[in-house]
Amino acid sequence: MEHNTRAAFIRQMLKDERSIEPSPEFSYKAHLKSRQDYDELYRRSLTDPDAFWGDMAERHLDWYRSWDAVEEYDFDAPRPFVRYFRGGQLNASYNCIDRHLDGPRRNKAALIWQGEPSEEVEVFTYQRLHREVCKAANVLKSLGVQRGDRVVLYLPMIPQLAIAMLACARIGAVHCVVFSGLSAEALKDRIDDSGARVVVTANFGYRSGKILRIKGVCDQALAECPQVKTCLVVRRIEKRTTMEPERDVWWDDLTATASPACEPERMEANEPLFVLYTSGSTAKPKGIVHGTGGYLLYATLTMKYVFDLKETDIHWCTADAGWITGHSYIVYGPLASGATSLMFEGVPNYPKPDRFWEVVEKFGVNLLYTAPTVVRSLMREGERWTCTHDLSSLRLLGSVGEPITAKAWLWYYSAIGQGRCPVADTWWQTETGGVMITTLPGAVDMKPGSAALPFFGVEPKVVRSDGTPAALGEPGSLVVTRPWPGMMQGVHGNEQAFKDVYFPTPGRYVTGDGAYCDEDGYFWITGRIDDVINVSGHRLGTAEIESALVSCAEVAEAAVVGCPHPVKGEGIYAYVTLHEGVVVSDELRIQLASHVREVIGPIARPDVVHFAKALPKTRSGKIMRRILRKIAAHQTEDLCDISTLSEPSVVADLIRENERLS
Ligand code: ATP
Ligand code: MG
């Protein structure tokens, strides 16, 4: 599609609010070919979950011992619990590697790693991955790591991160990956909370052409963690590195002499596989505990159906493996499925804004899974960066992390997918282990901006604050009324938080997100439930107002928060970033506010439109609304924990402009 035709297409679609059917060619070859296929499996998953999950677990995973019970749970007990496959025994690393070694997958690429420097590429076949994981597992054992011990992995996006995760899984240790962009303080908190005695890190890393002192940050954290006896250091870059003689050892030295054979531990299905901290968008991060059997099954099954995975696909999930998205869709989902997973160390806009498209073209990527923040920033750069690359290998596009506005969705669909590839928005959380609500590709119609329909076994409901069901189209709190195999098993070291945060009311898991459901049963996520703005008694979702702002041609990104208002209780404060080259003016401010009024109604008209150069984001790229709320309310002395913020300088700019506006 030419630029002008595309712009017209997006304008028209935004106006019509039509749904888009998957192409017949895609559906014909898809695992789920029609809405009927989906409905049938979905119904079965709800009417007889034991038979459904038991059958799926037998077909998709290898077990040493079968289970005594499929699904057991109690959300309402003083200590809520969820268990899948009790008594069943398996090993996640065996399922991700060993079982593929007997057949033709033996020499298939399991992991393709593209470093930030474009000449640095490594390919791990399943056979090679097996050797490397066994060696690393033996090294961990030699350092005294035992079944059930936590190991913190503070590693950049290098193959050793995936290898270390699988090595932990192999010996029954619990990995706890901390995103390598987090600060020393954030790392220290997580090491303390996890109780780990061994930390794995890298000496340096690359980010946008600069060298990151990862080991330096780690040293700073470890200075306050005397309980950590060993730090295993990967040599990412040949460069002088200070090593603490009693504590630090080189990964290379130890793996060089380690045996490439390591018998996997037989794990009971509910023994923990990992602890992972949430992104910290809303509050202090929580250490989410996931088990082995249920989690692995759910990651594998969603990999197959949500991404319509085929044997020959190259799957590229652009998230960092330090987040749940990378755990489930770079490592466990793809590898348990015997797929080829691409791991990328770089960023979307370095050295130029076409880095992603260059990588897609270079490897012939088929499935691309990225975040709305990436889509928005690449959309903002304009199309000259996409049109010079051959993107014809792409078959499916996925989105995760935040609500994707209809405009960004349509750009992704038309500019990147060329109108050929279904776009699967995927709503889920660290706590849910895998995708919960999605546009099952090939099977169901897509509605730009809607997360669509529940995955098998998932029963979401929208409820009012008094717990009664919301009407169609009425925004409320998104809850889930029964468990699913990927469900978290607890909050590490904090049983009370598990109960208080997730099961405050009987019979349901509370997600913390807001949503509404339309007449076709499609879910629309409206943002965090705390982000709902109450204007003169009307409850407005921030996502809807943001979508209206972004539908203006000038706007690249918008974030809306509530602010104190003398008359209305809460007013609407809109932070807006503009496309390259658009000039800021008061007319534009008025025009944008009027546009929202036209699209949603007079009640939704923003009281303040604040033009910003950039918005504060978490390290995983999500807009940090709690900071924006504080700035809008002039409560800037106390911005709370900003250790998970990616560019702290953005905040000072916003405060300055806020003072100017008021
Ligand atoms: P914290 O819980 O510490 O505040 P977080 O919620 O950002 O951090 P994650 O578990 O990584 O940590 O993110 C899950 C959240 O991301 C969801 O609850 C939801 O708000 C948002 N989200 C993820 N995917 C989507 C999506 N497709 N559409 C809308 N929102 C999404
Ligand atoms: Mg959360």
Side-chain angles (χ1 to χ4, degrees):
M1 238 186 257
E2 283 299 309
H3 172 77
N4 287 341
T5 350
R6 177 158 43 251
F9 164 76
I10 294 179
R11 257 199 317 276
Q12 194 56 43
M13 290 298 297
L14 283 173
K15 216 167 96 209
D16 294 358
E17 294 180 4
R18 252 186 306 138
S19 54
I20 300 177
E21 283 174 25
S23 79
E25 302 90 81
F26 189 97
S27 296
Y28 179 70
K29 296 189 198 138
H31 292 302
L32 298 173
K33 301 187 194 322
S34 64
R35 175 76 195 243
Q36 198 186 347
D37 280 3
Y38 160 76
D39 285 342
E40 226 170 86
L41 275 174
Y42 182 65
R43 194 167 344 104
R44 228 184 329 133
S45 73
L46 293 193
T47 47
D48 193 351
D50 280 4
F52 182 84
W53 294 118
D55 178 42
M56 289 294 182
E58 242 162 57
R59 283 199 282 141
H60 290 86
L61 297 180
D62 280 18
W63 299 80
Y64 299 118
R65 181 189 187 277
S66 186
W67 44 89
D68 303 317
V70 174
E71 182 182 277
E72 295 167 311
Y73 73 101
D74 188 345
F75 287 177
D76 304 335
R79 299 173 163 191
F81 71 89
V82 185
R83 266 198 303 266
Y84 277 89
F85 310 114
R86 174 168 51 80
Q89 290 176 358
L90 78 167
N91 181 284
S93 135
Y94 179 91
N95 273 280
C96 287
I97 311 173
D98 304 50
R99 63 172 174 153
H100 307 309
L101 298 179
D102 289 340
R105 284 179 183 159
R106 184 179 175 78
N107 293 315
K108 176 176 176 176
L111 213 58
I112 299 178
W113 176 71
Q114 169 67 68
E116 180 169 292
S118 70
E119 67 284 2
E120 288 195 47
V121 174
E122 282 224 50
V123 177
F124 292 81
T125 61
Y126 276 96
Q127 208 178 166
R128 182 178 175 205
L129 188 62
H130 180 253
R131 288 176 63 85
E132 299 297 332
V133 168
C134 285
K135 285 199 260 176
N138 285 323
V139 167
L140 291 174
K141 273 191 189 170
S142 74
L143 298 175
V145 177
Q146 293 179 355
R147 184 174 176 141
D149 289 352
R150 270 84 55 211
V151 177
V152 164
L153 310 179
Y154 184 65
L155 283 163
M157 282 285 279
I158 53 178
Q160 286 83 356
L161 174 50
I163 291 167
M165 288 166 74
L166 292 162
C168 287
R170 196 159 189 94
I171 64 172
V174 179
H175 58 71
C176 176
V177 182
V178 177
F179 172 56
S180 65
L182 291 187
S183 65
E185 193 191 326
L187 174 59
K188 179 202 169 284
D189 288 349
R190 289 160 179 73
I191 295 173
D192 279 345
D193 189 80
S194 72
R197 303 283 154 125
V198 172
V199 172
V200 186
T201 191
N203 63 346
F204 296 97
Y206 285 113
R207 191 171 177 88
S208 307
K210 290 196 225 32
I211 291 185
L212 297 179
R213 294 171 46 254
I214 295 183
K215 172 75 165 46
V217 177
C218 189
D219 283 345
Q220 226 178 310
L222 291 182
E224 288 174 57
C225 299
Q227 74 278 19
V228 173
K229 299 297 173 224
T230 314
C231 179
L232 186 57
V233 186
V234 177
R235 200 190 309 269
R236 167 67 188 101
I237 299 177
E238 275 307 331
K239 198 167 147 49
R240 243 188 76 100
T241 307
T242 328
M243 298 286 273
E244 190 75 39
E246 297 287 290
R247 190 194 65 198
D248 302 348
V249 281
W250 287 108
W251 168 287
D252 284 0
D253 292 353
L254 299 193
T255 50
T257 53
S259 155
C262 174
E263 195 54 35
E265 285 283 316
R266 298 177 173 216
M267 307 301 289
E268 199 276 337
N270 297 286
E271 281 183 82
L273 178 60
F274 62 84
V275 172
L276 182 65
Y277 293 85
T278 56
S279 313
S281 311
T282 52
K284 192 168 153 33
K286 303 164 281 284
I288 305 300
V289 182
H290 279 286
T292 305
Y295 168 80
L296 194 63
L297 176 64
Y298 200 72
T300 309
L301 222 58
T302 45
M303 185 69 226
K304 173 174 171 180
Y305 289 106
V306 176
F307 301 96
D308 191 47
L309 181 70
K310 298 288 161 53
E311 189 64 44
T312 53
D313 279 334
I314 293 195
H315 170 68
W316 182 21
C317 165
T318 72
D320 193 283
W323 310 120
I324 189 69
T325 308
H327 276 54
S328 300
Y329 302 111
I330 295 176
V331 181
Y332 290 111
L335 299 181
S337 312
T340 300
S341 178
L342 179 73
M343 187 177 190
F344 176 54
E345 186 189 27
V347 295
N349 53 1
Y350 178 84
K352 298 216 184 70
D354 64 345
R355 187 69 202 275
F356 267 24
W357 319 126
E358 184 195 296
V359 172
V360 166
E361 182 171 11
K362 177 169 174 180
F363 296 99
V365 170
N366 306 108
L367 315 175
L368 176 69
Y369 191 27
T370 196
T373 178
V374 172
V375 175
R376 291 191 303 255
S377 75
L378 296 174
M379 179 168 79
R380 192 178 180 188
E381 298 288 350
E383 276 150 39
R384 68 199 167 104
W385 299 106
T386 54
C387 63
T388 49
H389 293 280
D390 178 6
L391 305 180
S392 62
S393 62
L394 289 173
R395 210 162 67 68
L396 177 129
L397 305 172
S399 170
V400 63
E402 287 181 291
I404 182 164
T405 57
K407 179 173 158 189
W409 193 106
L410 288 163
W411 184 82
Y412 197 26
Y413 176 76
S414 58
I416 305 306
Q418 307 286 319
R420 240 182 332 101
C421 309
V423 171
D425 185 11
T426 62
W427 174 86
W428 59 297
Q429 312 176 293
T430 309
E431 293 87 340
T432 70
V435 174
M436 298 285 280
I437 300 183
T438 186
T439 322
L440 284 137
V444 309
D445 291 356
M446 299 169 275
K447 298 190 186 187
S450 166
L453 298 164
F455 191 70
F456 308 139
V458 176
E459 197 170 46
K461 293 259 157 42
V462 180
V463 297
R464 301 190 180 119
S465 48
D466 64 3
T468 55
L472 285 184
E474 179 189 341
S477 156
L478 182 65
V479 302
V480 187
T481 58
R482 55 163 87 208
W484 63 97
M487 187 174 198
M488 70 189 291
Q489 296 198 319
V491 176
H492 182 75
N494 195 345
E495 227 168 22
Q496 200 56 44
F498 187 45
K499 170 90 187 157
D500 295 349
V501 176
Y502 301 104
F503 307 101
T505 47
R508 51 182 67 142
Y509 163 83
V510 173
T511 69
D513 285 340
Y516 66 90
C517 190
D518 71 15
E519 61 282 6
D520 298 321
Y522 278 53
F523 286 85
W524 298 74
I525 309 296
T526 53
R528 313 284 175 149
I529 200 75
D530 323 339
D531 290 342
V532 171
I533 307 179
N534 197 329
V535 183
S536 314
H538 297 270
R539 293 168 67 74
L540 296 166
T542 50
E544 200 180 1
I545 307 176
E546 286 158 14
S547 193
L549 283 164
V550 172
S551 69
C552 295
E554 295 84 358
V555 177
E557 196 162 51
V560 169
V561 297
C563 62
H565 190 284
V567 182
K568 299 192 273 186
E570 247 185 319
I572 299 174
Y573 193 111
Y575 295 86
V576 169
T577 64
L578 299 170
H579 280 292
E580 286 300 322
V582 178
V583 182
V584 170
S585 69
D586 283 336
E587 289 79 71
L588 183 58
R589 216 184 288 280
I590 295 165
Q591 182 197 322
L592 296 183
S594 318
H595 179 76
V596 175
R597 181 197 166 102
E598 250 161 60
V599 176
I600 309 176
I603 191 82
R605 186 179 200 282
D607 297 282
V608 183
V609 175
H610 174 146
F611 291 120
K613 278 207 287 296
L615 300 175
K617 306 228 170 129
T618 61
R619 298 280 177 160
S620 54
K622 295 180 202 213
I623 298 169
M624 264 178 142
R625 289 188 170 70
R626 70 179 155 90
I627 291 184
L628 294 176
R629 254 199 307 269
K630 293 228 158 166
I631 296 176
H634 311 294
Q635 292 165 359
T636 49
E637 333 61 65
D638 169 32
L639 287 178
C640 299
D641 181 12
I642 55 169
S643 65
T644 54
L645 188 68
S646 101
E647 299 258 346
S649 68
V650 168
V651 173
D653 288 347
L654 291 173
I655 294 175
R656 219 169 302 128
E657 176 65 9
N658 168 265
E659 281 164 359
R660 205 187 62 79
L661 283 172
S662 52

